[in-house]
């Protein structure tokens, strides 16, 4: 449930269900730093310009300095953020259990826009909105939703390209 481990250069980052993001030296396993959140980090971390971007089920999306584990910016909503962030052209794209596809400025954390698809009415008990991670190719984001629909969304023109008919109760699996 805590996403994938991230390895870049001489370092490895991984999160745990206790709400901690760890950084180790890749060759020795020596702990470099630990960042503490309020609940587990469910999505996978993303690295961009020596910053780690990581969502959490404590409703936050955080930007952390990859060198020292210090918080750079923090954005919070009322719902879990399970989806792993994707960065394209300096913009961070992510879904959330609030049902919103969001675009942030990766440097500042400013929410630039969101497209709302609602929380859905899928399987109960369960989660809501967009839990899967986005797949992005040619400026199109592909993602599933709790309502059982997969969508293709044009990020540059900010418009829906297509959507499937209802496929089932919930689409949590991430496209690659």
């Amino acid at each position: 449930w805590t996403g994938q481990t991230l390895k870049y250069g001489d370092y490895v980052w991984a999160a745990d269900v206790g709400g901690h993001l760890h950084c180790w030296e890749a060759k020795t396993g020596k702990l470099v730093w630990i960042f503490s959140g309020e609940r587990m980090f469910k999505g996978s971390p993303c690295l961009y310009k020596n910053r780690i971007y990581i969502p959490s089920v404590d409703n936050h999306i955080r930007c952390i300095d990859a060198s020292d584990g210090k918080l750079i910016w923090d954005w919070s909503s009322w719902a879990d953020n399970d989806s792993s962030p994707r960065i394209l052209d300096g913009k961070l794209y992510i879904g959330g259990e609030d049902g919103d596809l969001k675009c942030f400025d990766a440097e500042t954390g400013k929410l630039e826009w969101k497209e709302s698809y609602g929380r859905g009415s899928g399987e109960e008990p369960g989660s809501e909105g967009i839990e899967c991670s986005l797949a992005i190719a040619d400026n199109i984001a592909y993602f599933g939703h709790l309502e059982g629909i997969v969508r293709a969304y044009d990020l540059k023109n900010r418009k829906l390209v297509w959507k499937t008919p209802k496929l089932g109760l919930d689409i949590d699996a991430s496209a690659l």
Side-chain angles (χ1 to χ4, degrees):
W1 270 32
T2 56
Q4 304 300 311
T5 298
L6 173 64
K7 160 72 167 78
Y8 184 78
D10 296 331
Y11 298 95
V12 174
W13 297 268
D16 66 36
V17 295
H20 303 96
L21 175 65
H22 305 81
C23 176
W24 296 277
E25 290 180 355
K27 289 183 181 174
T28 66
K30 178 183 174 190
L31 183 64
V32 178
W33 54 257
I34 298 175
F35 178 87
S36 295
E38 297 168 30
R39 291 180 62 207
M40 80 171 136
F41 292 102
K42 194 170 176 186
S44 299
C46 173
L47 178 69
Y48 176 71
K49 292 188 175 182
N50 206 45
R51 293 175 173 191
I52 301 290
Y53 299 85
I54 191 162
S56 177
V57 298
D58 64 7
N59 307 344
H60 293 260
I61 300 168
R62 294 179 176 92
C63 174
I64 300 165
D65 188 304
S67 301
D68 60 16
K70 303 286 186 209
L71 183 67
I72 296 172
W73 60 256
D74 183 349
W75 182 88
S76 181
S77 74
W78 59 267
D80 289 358
N81 289 293
D82 300 344
S83 176
S84 301
R86 302 289 187 245
I87 297 182
L88 177 66
D89 298 331
K91 305 296 181 200
L92 182 146
Y93 299 98
I94 193 166
E97 287 195 32
D98 55 8
D100 296 342
L101 171 63
K102 298 175 213 50
C103 173
F104 295 89
D105 180 293
E107 296 287 328
T108 66
K110 179 184 176 214
L111 178 64
E112 296 200 349
W113 57 263
K114 67 180 179 177
E115 186 71 28
S116 296
Y117 293 104
R119 295 161 61 184
S121 57
E123 194 169 359
E124 294 293 337
S127 299
E128 302 173 306
I130 304 167
E131 283 193 287
C132 70
S133 301
L134 310 176
I136 299 177
D138 301 321
N139 289 302
I140 307 293
Y142 302 89
F143 59 96
H145 188 280
L146 178 77
E147 66 191 354
I149 293 174
V150 175
R151 290 178 173 87
Y153 187 87
D154 185 322
L155 298 170
K156 283 202 185 252
N157 296 310
R158 293 190 49 205
K159 68 177 192 172
L160 186 67
V161 176
W162 56 259
K163 70 177 186 176
T164 65
K166 187 172 177 102
L167 302 173
L169 293 177
D170 191 356
I171 307 291
D172 280 351
S174 301
L176 295 176

